Amino acid sequence: MNTKVAAPFAVHSKRTVRLAAVAVIATAFFVLGNADVRAGVLATVAVGSVLTISAAIRRYRPDDSRCWWALFGASVVFMFGVSLRGDPSHSFSLLPDLFTLTGYALVGYALSRWIRDRQSIDDITPLVDAGLIFLGTLFLSWLLFISPALESSYSSASTVVNGVYPAIDAALITLTTYLLYSSKPRTPALRWALIALIATLVGDVSYAFAATTADAPSSGLLDGIYLFAYLSLAMAALDPSMRTVSQRQDPAPAHSNRRVVFVVTLLVVCATVPLLGSAVSTGDLVVRSLLLASILVGAFLRGERALTRVQFGKEHAKYLAAHDLLTGLPNRTMLDEEFARHERSQAHGRTCVLFVDLDNFKIVNDSYGHRVGDELIVAAARRIRAAVGAADSVVRYAGDEFVILSRRDRLGAEALARRIIDRMNEPFPLSAATAYVTASVGIAEADRLHDAIREADTAMYHAKSLGAARYAFFDESLRARATSAMETTTALRGAIRRGELEVYYQPIVDTASRTTVVYEALVRWNRDGRVCTPNEFIPIAESTGLIKEIGEWVLRCALSDLVTLRAHGQDVTMSVNVSPMQLRDDSLPNIVRGLLDEFGLSGADLALEITESILIDDMGTAKSLLDRLAAMGVLIVLDDFGIGYSSLNRLRAMPIALLKIDKSFVHEIGHSESDTQLIRAIVAMASALPVNTVAEGVETEEQASIIESLECRFAQGFLFGRPAPIAHWLLESAQQW
């Protein structure tokens, strides 16, 4: 492992050593040799570097090869420009400068494109900064090089251009520095490119200075500086990081203070340098004034732009904090502000809250994935926005829930709810499929926002209980129901401790022999002298988290009573209902195993009944737990089969051992041929899986006879016994003996 980590550094180190060796050898030959040797060394290094860049592009295949090919082209034209500088035989004196300026244009193109590709937002600030640096450096170059050259006998168009080169170099160095330090991690290829540009700057400054004095070294010696530029550019191309220069990187921390210091220093230098000497002519004074004015105006505009961007950034951050990124709607943090706005309104009616929830959204999300689910949310938000009035507020509350604030009377609010439901009833064309999703809407009015949201949420769940695509207004009946639910929750806490819960048992019989083979455990609550059925308190136990405690207690009682029943001669097993909330608890298999061991029972002695909603709501988690339970020998029973939404594919994926046919099908057999045929089809399907079947709700001998003729192996219902405490079944067993 250590070798793999160290290898890249070793490779880079070897490459650097080789570069240093080449640089030392080339420098030695260049300095000690004559003019021809110098020209040969420079040509050899330049050509070798150009070929190296070309080979590296083909080898690494960078993301944006156009930029590297632009640098390759710049190296070629720079090579021609440098070679022609020392050759006075050509008739066009600006020919070397034409090549050099073309090279600068190619480098500028590559750097600008990399900056554009790396940025996550459209920002020309780096280009503005480079422009300011160019103007500032050009101003200094004018004072130090160009203006003195114009007054000397060496004055020519080429000397003026030579004075411009350092300014271009400084601008390109600014862009490269931005690329290198504006993101992390630093890109080694850009470091080498920066070194190449700095070497070029040194060379260009040397040439500009040489144009102002007769004692300057020859151009052949000055060209030696460009050796390092070529070698550094070759090293940039050879580094593997060159392939990712155009990729977006993690932004590095901003160094705004450093930028301010740099700009202030630049302005101070530009302001004090003119004090070192005076203008030699009116033209010289005009150029100095224009350059200095451009710098000052540019710096001012740069500051204004920075302030504008800061203000925009604050406003944008404020917007993002208050709006949902997916739909663009205000999020729940805006509810108080929007509610206050509606309360101040003089419009007719009261401020009402509509709580909208998409029906069966989870099915779409689980079937097609979260990306398609997001498409559905966006489309639903558009439809809601189109259905409400211009003055209404639409807020994405959470997930597939939306809250609408509107100033209306009750009739107007109900009309708005119907309009939303009608819009939602239309099919949703999505990328993966066309989805059919409805909406349930709850409506409430209240003087306080959060009371209204709570009441609208309660009304929405009431509407959902009535069926899909319904709305309900929170009225006194719902208030009483909500109050009753709160009282039930309070009373249910501690019911086990007070001994108010009791387990009743209902037999499941073999249809052929009519003997009891299984007892289903059904919990009851003795509340203030009245026996409450599970439908009255289990949903509340699930919503409050009490179901885990109650479920474990029922399981313990059922297994304990199973031991008692067997001790009294009954050869039976036990079936216990499991809540969907329990199947989200990873500790359930351990609890079951612990209780089985405690009572000396095996997994085959216990069946756990689940509902079809498990196959829809959280199939992944449920399957994992059920597989663990089935591996212990526990039988998994699917209750109320036929009234849910489970598909055969999902059913086959679960370790189901028994299907309980819902009593709504059994009630009509003998009177409805279609129900009889449905039961026959369910039994045939179960046999193919293969699993056994239990017919629920058998109340007459006629139903029992038909069920037996349909080869349904087990049956349950009032015909064979109503739910009763354990004492009842022990007494019946004793009477049979």
Side-chain angles (χ1 to χ4, degrees), residues 515-535:
T515 58
T516 300
V517 292
V518 185
Y519 281 102
E520 180 182 358
L522 301 166
V523 66
R524 298 290 187 266
W525 181 19
N526 294 308
R527 183 185 180 190
D528 300 328
R530 186 176 72 86
V531 178
C532 301
T533 62
N535 291 338

Side-chain angles (χ1 to χ4, degrees), residues 466-486:
L466 300 176
R470 302 288 187 93
Y471 73 88
F473 201 97
F474 188 86
D475 54 17
E476 289 304 318
S477 64
L478 287 181
R479 189 183 305 278
R481 185 177 301 180
T483 303
S484 175
M486 184 68 69

Side-chain angles (χ1 to χ4, degrees), residues 77 131 234 273 419 484 629 638 644-645 690:
V77 295
V273 168
R419 193 157 61 247
S484 175
L629 290 166
L638 186 60
Y645 301 93

Side-chain angles (χ1 to χ4, degrees), residues 477-734:
S477 64
L478 287 181
R479 189 183 305 278
R481 185 177 301 180
T483 303
S484 175
M486 184 68 69
E487 293 173 351
T488 300
T489 301
T490 303
L492 189 58
R493 296 185 184 277
I496 296 176
R497 177 175 46 81
R498 295 190 300 269
E500 296 175 356
L501 295 184
E502 186 177 1
V503 179
Y504 282 29
Y505 300 93
Q506 186 177 25
I508 298 175
V509 304
D510 184 292
T511 54
S513 64
R514 299 292 180 93
T515 58
T516 300
V517 292
V518 185
Y519 281 102
E520 180 182 358
L522 301 166
V523 66
R524 298 290 187 266
W525 181 19
N526 294 308
R527 183 185 180 190
D528 300 328
R530 186 176 72 86
V531 178
C532 301
T533 62
N535 291 338
E536 297 178 69
F537 63 90
I538 289 299
I540 295 175
E542 290 177 332
S543 64
T544 57
L546 294 173
I547 191 62
K548 181 179 179 180
E549 179 186 2
I550 294 174
E552 186 174 347
W553 179 85
V554 170
L555 186 59
R556 175 180 291 277
C557 287
L559 294 179
S560 175
D561 288 343
L562 174 60
V563 173
T564 302
L565 287 166
R566 287 184 170 180
H568 286 75
Q570 295 200 39
D571 185 16
V572 294
T573 58
M574 187 62 66
S575 184
V576 180
N577 290 280
V578 178
S579 162
M581 299 298 294
Q582 290 176 272
L583 285 176
R584 297 190 183 101
D585 184 358
D586 193 56
S587 65
L588 178 62
N590 294 332
I591 293 172
V592 171
R593 168 56 65 192
L595 290 174
L596 288 173
D597 291 343
E598 180 180 341
F599 292 104
L601 298 170
S602 68
D605 296 324
L606 175 65
L608 296 179
E609 298 191 17
I610 64 174
T611 61
E612 284 189 276
S613 62
I614 293 298
L615 306 184
I616 300 173
D617 293 341
D618 199 356
M619 182 176 175
T621 303
K623 184 180 186 311
S624 175
L625 291 181
L626 293 178
D627 284 341
R628 291 168 60 189
L629 290 166
M632 295 161 47
V634 175
L635 274 69
I636 307 300
V637 180
L638 186 60
D639 197 10
D640 301 330
F641 180 77
I643 62 173
Y645 301 93
S646 63
S647 66
L648 290 179
N649 189 45
R650 294 189 179 197
L651 183 62
R652 186 175 56 181
M654 290 289 193
I656 305 297
L658 200 68
L659 293 181
K660 298 186 77 171
I661 303 172
D662 188 71
K663 61 186 177 181
S664 61
F665 298 108
V666 177
H667 282 172
E668 297 300 320
I669 60 173
H671 304 286
S672 170
E673 181 62 23
S674 62
D675 281 355
T676 304
Q677 294 302 323
L678 278 173
I679 294 177
R680 176 178 283 110
I682 292 173
V683 172
M685 178 203 68
S687 299
L689 283 174
V691 298
N692 287 315
T693 52
V694 179
E696 295 184 293
V698 178
E699 298 181 355
T700 67
E701 284 291 346
E702 181 184 11
Q703 292 172 346
S705 177
I706 296 174
I707 287 296
E708 183 179 357
S709 68
L710 293 175
E711 299 182 356
C712 184
R713 185 175 177 185
F714 303 104
Q716 180 181 14
F718 291 167
L719 177 65
F720 311 110
R722 293 175 179 271
I726 183 66
H728 171 82
W729 301 111
L730 292 175
L731 178 61
E732 184 175 281
S733 176

Side-chain angles (χ1 to χ4, degrees), residues 27-361:
T27 302
F29 275 98
F30 192 89
V31 173
L32 299 177
N34 55 28
D36 293 335
V37 172
R38 292 171 186 166
V41 171
L42 180 60
T44 301
V45 172
V47 171
S49 298
V50 168
L51 294 177
T52 299
I53 296 170
S54 174
I57 295 173
R58 291 187 173 89
R59 176 185 178 185
Y60 292 122
R61 299 184 181 277
D63 294 337
D64 193 350
S65 59
R66 284 175 293 184
C67 293
W68 283 102
W69 283 118
L71 293 182
F72 168 81
S75 301
V76 173
V77 295
F78 279 145
M79 183 170 58
F80 284 109
V82 171
S83 63
L84 291 174
R85 272 184 176 179
D87 182 11
S89 61
H90 50 81
S91 58
F92 182 43
S93 61
L94 290 179
L95 184 60
D97 300 306
L98 182 61
F99 280 105
T100 304
L101 291 173
T102 302
Y104 279 131
L106 291 172
V107 175
Y109 164 79
L111 296 176
S112 301
R113 187 177 180 88
W114 277 334
I115 290 174
R116 189 203 67 180
D117 291 343
R118 275 190 162 196
Q119 287 175 334
S120 57
I121 57 175
D122 185 19
D123 183 17
I124 63 170
T125 301
L127 301 180
V128 173
D129 290 341
L132 280 175
I133 297 299
F134 171 79
L135 288 174
T137 310
L138 181 60
F139 181 63
L140 296 177
S141 186
W142 177 271
L143 296 177
L144 299 176
F145 306 128
I146 302 175
S147 179
L150 291 176
E151 298 302 318
S152 68
S153 59
Y154 318 110
S155 176
S156 67
S158 183
T159 58
V160 175
V161 177
N162 284 340
V164 176
Y165 288 157
I168 300 176
D169 294 330
L172 296 179
I173 288 173
T174 302
L175 295 178
T176 309
T177 304
Y178 173 83
L179 279 170
L180 182 60
Y181 290 100
S182 63
S183 61
K184 286 187 176 181
R186 310 281 188 242
T187 306
L190 287 174
R191 287 196 181 99
W192 286 110
L194 182 60
I195 293 173
L197 286 172
I198 292 174
T200 304
L201 173 63
V202 173
D204 288 341
V205 169
S206 300
Y207 260 105
F209 175 75
T212 64
T213 176
D215 299 328
S218 67
S219 60
L221 284 173
L222 292 179
D223 289 341
I225 301 173
Y226 297 109
L227 286 171
F228 296 99
Y230 274 110
L231 290 172
S232 298
L233 193 56
M235 284 297 295
L238 285 173
D239 195 285
S241 65
M242 61 88 73
R243 64 164 66 97
T244 60
V245 173
S246 64
Q247 291 180 359
R248 291 182 180 177
Q249 309 289 326
D250 295 331
H255 301 289
S256 56
N257 292 337
R258 297 182 186 179
R259 290 186 178 183
V260 170
V261 171
F262 177 77
V263 173
V264 170
T265 302
L266 175 65
L267 294 177
V268 170
V269 170
C270 293
T272 56
V273 168
L275 300 178
L276 301 178
S278 58
V280 297
S281 66
T282 303
D284 185 14
L285 180 61
V286 169
V287 172
R288 295 186 186 195
S289 301
L290 289 176
L291 287 174
L292 186 57
S294 299
I295 294 170
L296 294 175
V297 171
F300 174 78
L301 294 178
R302 174 65 175 83
E304 286 293 305
R305 178 179 174 79
L307 291 176
T308 302
R309 289 185 60 80
V310 169
Q311 183 63 31
F312 173 79
K314 290 180 179 179
E315 294 295 329
H316 188 59
K318 183 178 178 181
Y319 175 86
L320 292 179
H323 288 76
D324 173 54
L325 295 180
L326 181 62
T327 62
L329 294 175
N331 59 31
R332 60 198 306 170
T333 63
M334 293 288 289
L335 280 170
D336 289 317
E337 181 179 332
E338 291 297 309
F339 185 77
R341 180 176 67 81
H342 284 282
E343 285 291 275
R344 292 192 300 268
S345 173
Q346 301 299 316
H348 175 67
R350 295 182 61 188
T351 302
C352 58
V353 173
L354 285 76
F355 201 103
V356 181
D357 181 84
L358 302 185
D359 301 321
N360 299 325
F361 168 74

